[in-house]
Amino acid sequence: MNKINKALSLTLAAIVSMPALAENLKTEDFSFGGRIEARAALTDSDFNDKSRVRLNGQGKHEINDALTAVGKFEYELTQADSSTDTDVENNIRYGYVGVETAHGTLTYGTQDNAVTYLTNFTDMAEVYSGDTNKGITASGDRAEDTVLYSVTKGDLTFNASANLQENVKGGGAMVAYKVLPSVELSAAYAATETAVGASESSDVYMIGARYTNDTLLVSGLVQKGTAYDTDFDAVDAFASYGFGENKVSVSYNYFSADEQSAKDVNYVAFEYGRYIGDVAAYAGYKVALNNDTTAGAGHTNGNADEFIVGARYSF
């Protein structure tokens, strides 16, 4: 208990001192932030706590008229799933540095892959979206030891990345274009080659589109490639509508690998959220279809519906 209290005291002290620290850094643009999120899920009559805390900081420093240094970190703390106590799992979601120029931004560290811009078309729900990429190393949201180049010129966005990890090497490229102010199309390719004997090697072709009109968003993503040493197909679809301080959304996630049925994703989910300043409260219900297995390990029924409720305070 003393260790827990000490850890909490250090965390609170760090949060309290963040504004003063930011002032002393004397950079042109530096900010601290984060979130405290309490979440609980009911899956096949099993209750699961999915609460988390995230702390982040990012900044820019103008070196000269042509070159600006950038950096970002984000640290996530969650309770260990297998623990009956308050053991904490730590995860560095982001930790990178780089430079911005008139010709694009080049960064290195733990960060997004080139294709994350495209997968974010449909990964927009509070909880139930983006599941099709969780098991595909090549199109995963983030990776360690990654070099990322990104440039936007008018309506055109181009990303390219390379993963330099010793046991997971690869990369990808993505191009997106706004054919209309409300319509954006995108295509991408990514591949990874893991150590001999591992099953995480993968490659993926993907195309996506999204339509935005005020508070209405409709998007779709189609993927095809190889993962888990077999061919796969994947489809994501997402739609949301906001009115006042409220938002409703529906998502569809589908992933099917030819010889890895234990990895299949196939569900429809409905969510409602209410947003008041820095506070959000939301609830969602996932309907498992046919061969869906996303209920995960620890449940007697991998093909199970799930209900989740959560509240978040952002700072």
Side-chain angles (χ1 to χ4, degrees), residues 113-220:
N113 293 303
V115 301
T116 305
Y117 182 94
L118 171 52
T119 59
N120 281 345
F121 277 19
T122 52
D123 190 6
M124 295 294 291
E126 289 286 353
V127 182
Y128 298 119
S129 61
D131 269 338
T132 57
N133 298 302
K134 289 182 179 178
I136 308 173
T137 306
S139 60
D141 288 344
R142 292 167 301 278
E144 300 176 4
D145 302 328
T146 296
V147 178
L148 173 66
Y149 171 73
S150 179
V151 62
T152 298
K153 295 292 185 181
D155 295 324
L156 180 69
T157 298
F158 173 78
N159 290 346
S161 65
N163 190 327
L164 306 180
Q165 291 186 64
E166 181 178 354
N167 296 323
V168 183
K169 297 181 179 180
M174 185 281 315
V175 61
Y177 185 73
K178 291 184 177 179
V179 295
L180 295 170
S182 58
V183 178
E184 187 172 18
L185 305 178
S186 182
Y189 172 76
T192 55
E193 187 66 35
T194 59
V196 176
S199 61
E200 290 83 8
S201 296
S202 57
D203 71 283
V204 55
Y205 297 87
M206 57 183 70
I207 56 173
R210 64 179 167 186
Y211 169 80
T212 56
N213 186 354
D214 195 16
T215 61
L216 175 66
L217 168 65
V218 180
S219 55

Side-chain angles (χ1 to χ4, degrees), residues 179-300:
V179 295
L180 295 170
S182 58
V183 178
E184 187 172 18
L185 305 178
S186 182
Y189 172 76
T192 55
E193 187 66 35
T194 59
V196 176
S199 61
E200 290 83 8
S201 296
S202 57
D203 71 283
V204 55
Y205 297 87
M206 57 183 70
I207 56 173
R210 64 179 167 186
Y211 169 80
T212 56
N213 186 354
D214 195 16
T215 61
L216 175 66
L217 168 65
V218 180
S219 55
L221 170 63
V222 177
Q223 303 181 68
K224 190 175 182 64
T226 59
Y228 313 112
D229 298 323
T230 188
D231 295 336
F232 77 86
D233 296 290
V235 177
D236 280 5
F238 179 81
S240 67
Y241 177 71
F243 51 100
E245 297 173 332
N246 310 278
K247 184 170 73 173
V248 292
S249 67
V250 58
S251 61
Y252 174 64
N253 285 244
Y254 174 83
F255 172 92
S256 180
D258 289 351
E259 299 177 11
Q260 283 284 350
S261 59
K263 306 292 185 179
D264 284 349
V265 177
N266 190 10
Y267 69 77
V268 176
F270 306 89
E271 294 187 27
Y272 165 78
R274 184 167 176 82
Y275 305 88
I276 306 173
D278 295 328
V279 178
Y282 55 86
Y285 190 80
K286 182 191 74 176
V287 181
L289 305 174
N290 298 326
N291 56 334
D292 181 67
T293 62
T294 56
H299 300 290
T300 56

Side-chain angles (χ1 to χ4, degrees), residues 3 25 29 64 153 204 287 309:
K3 291 182 178 179
L25 287 173
D29 183 6
N64 53 48
K153 295 292 185 181
V204 55
V287 181
V309 61

Side-chain angles (χ1 to χ4, degrees), residues 95-106:
Y96 65 81
V97 294
V99 292
E100 286 183 356
T101 73
H103 305 290
T105 300
L106 182 67

